[in-house]
Amino acid sequence: MTAAPRPSPEECKVLPAGALRDRFAVVTGAGSGIGRAVTLRLVELGASVMGVGRRAERLAETAALAGHRFTYRALDIRHEPPDFLAELAELDLLVNNAGGQFIAPAAEISRRGFDAVLDLNLTAQAALLQAARPGLAARGGRVVNLSLSAPDRGIPGLVHSAAARAGIAALTRSLARQWPAIKLFCLAPGTVLTAGVGEELPPEELAGIVERTPLGRDTSLDEVAEWVAALGCGIADAVSGALIEVDGGSGLVAAAALAG
Ligand SMILES: CCCCC/C=C/C(=O)SCCNC(=O)CCNC(=O)[C@H](O)C(C)(C)COP(=O)(O)OP(=O)(O)OC[C@H]1O[C@@H](n2cnc3c(N)ncnc32)[C@H](O)[C@@H]1OP(=O)(O)O
Ligand SMILES: NC(=O)C1=CN([C@@H]2O[C@H](COP(=O)(O)OP(=O)(O)OC[C@H]3O[C@@H](n4cnc5c(N)ncnc54)[C@H](OP(=O)(O)O)[C@@H]3O)[C@@H](O)[C@H]2O)C=CC1
C-alpha cells in the first residue's frame, strides 16, 4: 500500500488569521502532545488559553512557546474538584483533551484499573463539563471532547478505554440535545505519533498500525489542532453533538488490535 503524503504544518492551516480573536479557551492536557499543539494553534488564531495538567514543568514549556496569552493551572482532573471552571463567568471553548489508558488483555484488567480509565476518560470529563456549563452558556460556547476512533466497533487491548470513549461520545450527543446554548463535538483521532502514544506502544507495533491504516499514515498533530480550532470557532455548529473520526480510516479496519 502506498502511503498518502503527510500534509505539512502550513498545509493544515486553513482557518483565517484571527478566527479565534478575543475568544477564551481552556485546554486540558496542554503540557504535551495533542493538547500542546491545540493550544499553540488556538493562540496563533487569536485566542487566550488556560492550560491544565498535573505537571507544572510541562505546562511551563507550553507557556514558553505560547507567549503571554497562555496561563496555566497544575491540577489533577481526577482528584481535584473542577472549581477553576466553575469560577469562570465566561468561556468560549473547552477542549477536554487530558486522557489515556494502559494496554492490557481484558482478563487482566482489575476493577480498580477499569475504574481508573473510566474515571479519567469519562467521569472526570463529565464533571468538567458540568462545572463549565454556566460559563459556556453565557458565551454560546463550544466543547471539543477528545476521544479515540472506533470505540463502537471494539478495540481489543483497550476494552476499558473503548467503553469510556463510547461513553464520552454518547455524553456529547446527549448534552448537545440537553444544553442547546452550547455546541459540543467529539473528535476521535486514530494514531497520532506523540511521545505519549510512544510510551504505550513499541515503535514496530505503532508502525504496523499505521501501515494497516487505509490512508497509510498517521494523523498529524497539526491536522488534529486545526480540527479542534475549526470546531471551536463556530463554522461547524450545524453538526453539534457529532462524533468525528479523524483517523485516516483506521477505525474501519482492524488497525488497532493491541492485545489478546
Ligand atoms: C492505535 C493506537 C491506539 C492507542 C491510541 C491512544 C493513544 C493515547 O491515549 S496517547 C496517551 C498515552 N498515555 C497514556 O495513555 C497514559 C495514561 N495512563 C494513565 O494516566 C494511568 O495509567 C491511568 C490513569 C490509566 C491509571 O492511573 P492510576 O490510577 O494512577 O493507576 P494506578 O497505578 O493507581 O493503578 C490503578 C489500577 O490500574 C491497574 N493497572 C495500571 N496499569 C496497568 C497495566 N498496564 N496492566 C494492568 N493493570 C494495570 C493497577 O494495577 C491498579 O489496579 P489494582 O492492581 O487492582 O490496584
Ligand atoms: N496520540 C494518539 O494516537 C491518540 C490520542 N488520543 C487521546 O488524545 C488525548 C491526548 O493524547 P496525547 O497528546 O497523545 O497524549 P499525552 O499523554 O501527551 O497527553 C495526555 C495529557 O493529559 C494530561 N493528563 C493526564 N492525566 C491527567 C489528569 N489526571 N489530570 C490532568 N491532566 C492529565 C497529561 O499531562 P500530565 O501528565 O502532566 O497530567 C498530558 O498532557 C488523550 O485523551 C489520548 O487518549 C486519542 C486517540 C489517539
Side-chain angles (χ1 to χ4, degrees):
M1 184 160 44
T2 311
R6 223 162 174 259
S8 70
E10 289 312 313
E11 285 170 327
C12 293
K13 293 179 180 175
V14 296
L15 292 172
L20 290 169
R21 188 175 295 125
D22 299 330
R23 309 281 182 92
F24 176 55
V26 169
V27 179
T28 65
S32 65
I34 292 172
R36 178 178 286 171
V38 166
T39 296
L40 296 179
R41 184 61 179 143
L42 298 182
V43 167
E44 186 177 33
L45 288 165
S48 296
V49 176
M50 181 197 287
V52 171
R54 289 167 300 181
R55 289 170 294 175
E57 65 277 13
R58 303 305 303 273
L59 293 163
E61 288 169 18
T62 302
L65 297 167
H68 69 282
R69 276 188 279 109
F70 180 75
T71 55
Y72 61 85
R73 303 279 292 266
L75 57 88
D76 186 328
I77 62 165
R78 288 180 58 204
H79 300 300
E80 293 173 56
D83 298 344
F84 70 101
L85 281 172
E87 287 161 5
L88 297 173
E90 296 188 338
L91 177 62
D92 293 292
L93 174 62
L94 171 63
V95 184
N96 253 331
N97 163 75
Q101 61 284 306
F102 54 84
I103 296 168
E108 291 172 24
I109 300 174
S110 68
R111 171 65 190 262
R112 276 194 71 227
F114 201 88
D115 283 350
V117 171
L118 263 288
D119 190 19
L120 177 58
N121 297 288
L122 179 58
T123 321
Q125 300 200 8
L128 296 183
L129 287 162
Q130 290 269 21
R133 185 188 58 79
L136 287 165
R139 292 284 292 174
R142 300 177 180 86
V143 173
V144 181
N145 293 317
L146 265 290
S147 181
L148 174 59
S149 86
D152 51 345
R153 296 187 283 282
I155 313 175
L158 290 180
V159 301
H160 46 5
S161 187
R165 309 307 183 131
I168 198 82
L171 183 70
T172 304
R173 284 192 195 282
S174 300
L175 292 180
R177 293 187 61 184
Q178 196 157 353
W179 295 347
I182 302 170
K183 304 291 176 281
L184 297 100
F185 310 92
C186 198
L187 187 70
T191 312
V192 187
L193 298 176
T194 60
V197 78
E199 285 166 17
E200 296 298 298
L201 284 166
E204 59 279 8
E205 204 165 330
L206 268 176
I209 290 170
V210 170
E211 201 175 298
R212 291 191 295 278
T213 298
L215 195 61
R217 65 167 175 84
D218 60 311
T219 304
S220 77
L221 280 173
D222 301 289
E223 287 176 294
V224 177
E226 201 68 9
W227 269 98
V228 173
L231 296 172
C233 81
I235 58 172
D237 282 357
V239 293
S240 181
L243 171 67
I244 301 164
E245 293 174 296
V246 188
D247 67 352
S250 67
L252 300 173
V253 300
L258 303 164

